[in-house]
Amino acid sequence: MNIRIASLTALATILLAPVAASADSLVDGSIEAGKARALTCTACHGQEGNSVNPLWPNIAGQGASYLVAQLQAFKNGDRNDPLMTSQAMLLSDEDMRNLAVYFESLPAAVSAVADPSTVARAEALYRGGNEDAGVAACLACHGPTGRGNPAAEYPALNGQHAAYTAKQLRDYASNKRQSDGKTRIMRELAARLSEEDIVAIASYLQGLK
């Protein structure tokens, strides 16, 4: 394993608040305030944070720190989407924290079924990477069950719509999505994946438990 792959793999006021974030959340926000502010969000992401449109992500159970980071990215232009950018521009930092802890508190989506014909290919990539192509193992950052790493703002991927995940990988590969910041981790890795790899990985993650 070369040095570059190894380095990528190694990355591995509460007082009187209505209802504060759960004790294990890394973000200080109010679940009740987030729920009240989430009415607009549910139009796309569903009443319980799980979207019926496979191109819109499930966000229930997602780490609050990651959700805040993505809302900030939409607001500052590191991510671009006509719907999300316009919504994020209306949010204060407090709104973002409240929304994040609210959606984090909801039950995550039940994993769907992965395409059995591509599971072996995807599992090999997810768990072992591809040294020849310079692709590090996905689990180094997202964990063996795809639950992510909230402290590092690495998102949970398990149970996510395959169509959404595939689009994000393509957007990273084309440099359209730049929310991985100066590290460029996802852009560099996604650019080394073939289309077949992307489709397989996205399907695998959809079914990962």
Side-chain angles (χ1 to χ4, degrees), residues 22-48:
S22 59
D24 59 350
S25 179
L26 299 176
V27 172
D28 180 15
S30 164
I31 291 175
E32 286 300 319
K35 181 177 182 179
R37 192 70 173 81
L39 182 61
T40 303
C41 309
T42 60
C44 292
H45 296 290
Q47 291 295 321
E48 296 298 321

Side-chain angles (χ1 to χ4, degrees), residues 9-206:
T9 304
L11 284 174
T13 112
I14 306 252
L15 191 63
L16 299 180
V19 177
S22 59
D24 59 350
S25 179
L26 299 176
V27 172
D28 180 15
S30 164
I31 291 175
E32 286 300 319
K35 181 177 182 179
R37 192 70 173 81
L39 182 61
T40 303
C41 309
T42 60
C44 292
H45 296 290
Q47 291 295 321
E48 296 298 321
N50 293 309
S51 170
V52 297
N53 185 330
L55 288 175
W56 296 336
N58 296 322
I59 57 175
Q62 185 62 267
S65 54
Y66 175 77
L67 291 175
V68 169
Q70 298 314 299
L71 288 170
Q72 291 173 339
F74 280 118
K75 190 169 184 175
N76 67 30
D78 286 341
R79 289 188 70 175
N80 291 285
D81 177 88
L83 290 173
M84 280 305 305
T85 299
S86 61
Q87 292 300 317
M89 294 298 291
L90 302 175
L91 300 175
S92 67
D93 289 346
E94 183 180 15
D95 289 333
M96 291 181 185
R97 293 192 300 271
N98 293 340
L99 285 168
V101 296
Y102 169 61
F103 283 109
E104 180 184 56
S105 74
L106 298 176
V110 176
S111 297
V113 178
D115 182 349
S117 69
T118 62
V119 166
R121 178 192 190 113
E123 186 169 34
L125 280 169
Y126 188 84
R127 299 190 177 281
N130 183 337
E131 186 173 355
D132 292 338
V135 177
C138 308
L139 63 71
C141 293
H142 297 287
T145 59
R147 294 184 180 177
N149 183 340
E153 296 180 4
Y154 298 150
L157 302 177
N158 56 321
Q160 189 56 266
H161 297 300
Y164 174 78
T165 299
K167 183 181 185 302
Q168 300 315 300
L169 289 171
R170 295 183 189 112
D171 285 352
Y172 274 125
S174 67
N175 215 43
K176 180 178 180 180
R177 179 173 173 177
Q178 302 179 7
S179 56
D180 53 348
K182 294 181 180 179
T183 66
R184 300 180 61 89
I185 297 171
M186 285 306 304
R187 280 175 281 178
E188 293 190 12
L189 292 179
R192 297 168 185 166
L193 295 172
S194 68
E195 178 61 18
E196 291 77 12
D197 290 338
I198 287 174
V199 171
I201 283 286
S203 174
Y204 177 75
L205 291 171
Q206 177 176 266

